[in-house]
Amino acid sequence: MNVETEPKQKKVSLKGRHLLTWKDYDREEIVYLLERALEMKEQPLSEALAQKTLAMIFEKSSTRTRVSFEVGMTQLGGKAIHLNSRDMQLGRGETISDTSEVLSRYVNGIMIRTDSHQKLEELASNGNVPVINGLCDIYHPCQALADMMTIYEQKGRFAGVKLVYTGDGNNVAHSLMIIGAVLGLDVVIASPNGYEPLDFVIRDAERLAAENGGSLQVTSDIQAAVNEADVLYTDVWTSMGQEAEEQERKKALAPYQINQGLLEQAKSDVSVLHCLPAHRGEEITAEVIDGESSVVFDQAENRLHVQKAIMEALL
Ligand code: CP
């Protein structure tokens, strides 16, 4: 992988680590995972996780995360168990810490999709198996690693790549800011007033960008932001749990839609990403997401490859 890293001083070993946010990983570790994901895309099957079991707890709906983790475990010789939190004692008041202690006696790793980063931290601190964040209110790290793999496949580098995320400054934007900063991209977040990323994530990403040779800009000026963009990225305007705000969100975020006009202001070889599910006609037009610049299905496929790399390394 053509990424400038410090001279290798240590063998990368991630066994037993949690993945809650990319803030906890350095560039060498992230590059290692990306290299393994690229290798696994070529050679998908192994017995690396034979006899190992992953518990997957979902407090929210999922298509890509659920299926790619489950298929990934199968392709590595292991097994994944799907647990809907409503069907668990967790849904009837059993504590996170007890759940974590108990699951640690049965399984080799836990992936959870939850509405609370605090819950993730509690799960991680009370058990003794790796916990993987399958999306929370603040971050979506597995998605961001697949996004970086897709960008690398398209551009062949990270340094100097201008990634423009337009729309709601949400968990997807936060993880792009953090991983983009560690890998040295030039990340621009274009969001309307009131929909900016959280202040503490901006501060973390600015610090990491300064340390790693990247940059971060947060702006409400979408027209200026998109100029010379290598990658354009957006996400739904109304995420799970925000349905009551749908109308006001549509109004505020409408100028941030990725459409043909916006695309034409970016570089001619711009790649368009979207973490999916997409709402055609809202955050992105059908013409763009189904057009030649779009790589959204490669991006969705890459969820499988990066998560296999993560599970192989952590479990
Ligand atoms: N992008 C993403 O996380 O998709 P799902 O919600 O379908 O898992």
Side-chain angles (χ1 to χ4, degrees):
M1 177 166 268
N2 179 24
V3 181
E4 280 186 29
T5 53
E6 295 297 312
K8 281 198 170 35
Q9 294 174 358
K10 59 175 186 197
K11 189 172 180 297
V12 173
S13 173
L14 303 176
K15 195 166 164 54
R17 294 266 298 272
H18 302 298
L19 172 53
L20 308 189
T21 158
W22 291 118
K23 262 190 312 190
D24 303 333
Y25 284 70
D26 66 24
R27 187 195 289 213
E28 194 179 344
E29 291 165 340
I30 295 173
V31 168
Y32 168 80
L33 291 170
L34 286 168
E35 286 175 340
R36 282 299 293 138
L38 288 162
E39 287 165 5
M40 287 173 160
K41 193 164 183 173
E42 297 300 316
Q43 295 208 331
L45 303 181
S46 82
E47 290 297 314
L49 297 183
Q51 312 299 325
K52 306 244 186 216
T53 305
L54 177 77
M56 306 188 300
I57 304 173
F58 284 92
E59 292 183 346
K60 291 175 158 190
S61 307
S62 169
T63 298
R64 280 145 289 273
T65 304
R66 177 183 172 175
V67 177
S68 53
F69 267 104
E70 191 160 340
V71 170
M73 276 305 280
T74 303
Q75 291 187 355
L76 294 172
K79 183 174 172 54
I81 302 172
H82 176 255
L83 300 163
N84 186 320
S85 62
R86 284 192 305 274
D87 300 330
M88 299 172 71
Q89 300 293 4
L90 196 56
R92 297 180 59 243
E94 186 168 18
T95 64
I96 283 279
S97 58
D98 285 356
T99 304
S100 186
E101 284 265 359
V102 170
L103 288 181
S104 293
R105 307 285 177 111
Y106 300 143
V107 302
N108 307 97
I110 301 169
M111 189 280 293
I112 180 166
R113 169 165 287 196
T114 174
D115 55 8
S116 158
H117 190 74
Q118 199 182 334
K119 224 181 264 185
L120 259 167
E121 288 180 339
E122 216 179 313
L123 197 63
S125 61
N126 283 288
N128 56 19
V129 296
V131 172
I132 300 170
N133 183 352
L135 179 146
C136 69
D137 52 339
I138 303 179
Y139 301 111
H140 198 355
C142 297
Q143 179 66 54
L145 192 64
D147 302 339
M148 291 300 126
M149 178 173 174
T150 310
I151 290 171
Y152 187 78
E153 287 176 329
Q154 293 299 315
K155 307 298 173 193
R157 64 194 164 90
F158 292 126
V161 169
K162 183 176 178 183
L163 163 62
V164 179
Y165 174 96
T166 167
D168 187 19
N170 61 13
N171 46 9
V172 169
H174 289 162
S175 281
L176 281 174
M177 289 159 61
I178 298 293
I179 201 168
V182 177
L183 292 175
L185 283 82
D186 296 319
V187 179
V188 182
I189 306 293
S191 301
N193 293 338
Y195 294 87
E196 300 94 343
L198 293 171
D199 282 342
F200 81 89
V201 182
I202 295 175
R203 284 196 299 276
D204 285 337
E206 282 174 342
R207 175 180 51 79
L208 290 166
E211 287 170 12
N212 289 286
S215 67
L216 174 70
Q217 187 193 350
V218 179
T219 178
S220 58
D221 188 344
I222 177 63
Q223 301 302 329
V226 76
N227 185 40
E228 291 295 302
D230 295 291
V231 179
L232 276 178
Y233 193 128
T234 192
D235 187 12
V236 291
W237 289 339
T238 305
S239 295
M240 289 177 276
Q242 297 172 331
E243 289 76 10
E245 302 168 17
E246 187 173 353
Q247 290 314 316
E248 65 185 275
R249 286 179 158 271
K250 275 186 181 173
K251 197 169 159 203
L253 289 155
Y256 295 80
Q257 181 191 64
I258 299 186
N259 51 40
Q260 195 58 34
L262 197 74
L263 199 72
E264 284 165 12
Q265 295 173 56
K267 281 189 180 164
S268 57
D269 64 347
V270 66
S271 300
V272 174
L273 275 71
H274 189 308
C275 56
L276 302 179
H279 292 174
R280 288 169 173 76
E282 292 187 17
E283 73 276 3
I284 192 163
T285 59
E287 183 182 24
V288 172
I289 197 169
D290 299 321
E292 283 183 358
S293 302
S294 172
V295 289
V296 300
F297 296 114
D298 292 334
Q299 182 187 2
E301 179 191 328
N302 287 340
R303 291 292 304 276
L304 171 65
H305 308 302
V306 298
Q307 286 156 197
K308 285 169 68 182
I310 292 166
M311 291 190 290
E312 180 195 67
L314 273 52
L315 270 58

